[in-house]
Amino acid sequence: NAGVTQTPKFQVLKTGQSMTLQCAQDMNHEYMSWYRQDPGMGLRLIHYSVGAGITDQGEVPNGYNVSRSTTEDFPLRLLSAAPSQTSVYFCASGTVSTDTQYFGPGTRLTVL
Amino acid sequence: AQSVSQHNHHVILSEAASLELGCNYSYGGTVNLFWYVQYPGQHLQLLLKYFSGDPLVKGIKGFEAEFIKSKFSFNLRKPSVQWSDTAEYFCAVNAHGFQKLVFGTGTRLLVSP
């Protein structure tokens, strides 16, 4: 099992550009989520999904879109990047039965 | 709404010293509690978790945590730290049956050799 994988590892964008952060898991987990990590603020939930076709907003959803067309993939889209979105982004997955999440390696995004 | 407080933002210890990191949460219902560790440049790894039963839980690498329901606390402990324990430690909580995790702001631990 590869676990939770994220691409790219690093990305630099200019303000206004769009991009998609990829997240995939091969553990057949129902639950997937995206967090952003900022210094002194811990991790904050952006969006989450409890299964294919079902998504919902977390604590800080503005400026981000998600979709879940398959169990394995949960991409995060930035429609028009802003400097405030400079952060490290983590994807996580888990099963409802265990209530435990496992994290990917992260994507470090810089918006200039 | 759930919230998690980690009162120690930075901790500096010498090797072999004992460690205790505080974590308090606020939530009216039944919760699951977690400690995650993030080594420099790496992703979060699960150290230990508490769902129910014995309030003293043991995790990997010699860490343990005690759930004290009356104090809404879940403090992390290790009797003797090593240089390799230098990392950031996050306490997190979710409600039973719900995956959404709420994290504390983290504690940076530096262990000097």
Side-chain angles (χ1 to χ4, degrees):
Chain A
N1 281 355
V4 181
T5 58
Q6 292 183 237
T7 56
K9 290 189 176 182
F10 302 94
Q11 183 71 49
V12 179
L13 292 178
K14 295 181 180 178
T15 297
Q17 287 185 315
S18 63
M19 80 159 296
T20 299
L21 307 185
Q22 301 292 343
C23 174
Q25 53 92 8
D26 60 359
M27 298 173 282
N28 202 31
H29 286 168
E30 309 100 328
Y31 185 87
M32 296 186 74
S33 56
W34 278 100
Y35 295 84
R36 59 177 290 172
Q37 182 182 24
D38 302 293
M41 303 188 74
L43 281 81
R44 293 179 292 168
L45 182 64
I46 305 172
H47 285 286
Y48 66 98
S49 168
V50 298
I54 306 169
T55 64
D56 205 346
Q57 297 180 350
E59 183 185 352
V60 288
N62 292 343
Y64 307 95
N65 277 356
V66 291
S67 60
R68 183 98 178 267
S69 56
T70 67
T71 301
E72 294 78 20
D73 301 297
F74 191 45
L76 179 72
R77 296 184 190 83
L78 284 72
L79 300 178
S80 178
S84 61
Q85 294 177 305
T86 293
S87 187
V88 180
Y89 291 85
F90 289 99
C91 179
S93 73
T95 65
V96 173
S97 60
T98 64
D99 277 349
T100 301
Q101 293 184 48
Y102 300 91
F103 285 78
T107 294
R108 185 175 292 273
L109 175 67
T110 301
V111 183
L112 303 175
Chain B
Q2 300 159 27
S3 66
V4 178
S5 296
Q6 292 182 245
H7 307 294
N8 313 104
H9 299 295
H10 293 89
V11 174
I12 301 174
L13 294 173
S14 299
E15 274 194 316
S18 63
L19 170 73
E20 181 160 4
L21 301 183
C23 173
N24 289 91
Y25 68 94
S26 77
Y27 182 66
T30 305
V31 296
N32 304 313
L33 296 153
F34 305 83
W35 276 98
Y36 283 88
V37 61
Q38 186 178 31
Y39 297 103
Q42 296 189 26
H43 62 286
L44 275 77
Q45 301 173 40
L46 182 65
L47 261 184
L48 48 79
K49 60 186 178 184
Y50 172 80
F51 285 3
S52 64
D54 188 344
L56 184 64
V57 292
K58 296 191 182 299
I60 60 172
K61 305 189 181 189
F63 286 91
E64 65 179 29
E66 185 175 14
F67 171 52
I68 303 179
K69 189 175 182 179
S70 61
K71 295 185 177 180
F72 295 89
S73 70
F74 190 55
N75 292 355
L76 181 70
R77 300 195 292 247
K78 186 171 184 178
S80 176
V81 294
Q82 300 173 320
W83 175 80
S84 57
D85 293 325
T86 293
E88 190 160 16
Y89 293 81
F90 293 94
C91 182
V93 62
N94 63 13
H96 258 312
F98 293 89
Q99 287 273 346
K100 289 171 64 176
L101 276 172
V102 176
F103 282 85
T105 54
T107 297
R108 284 187 183 272
L109 172 65
L110 175 63
V111 180
S112 57

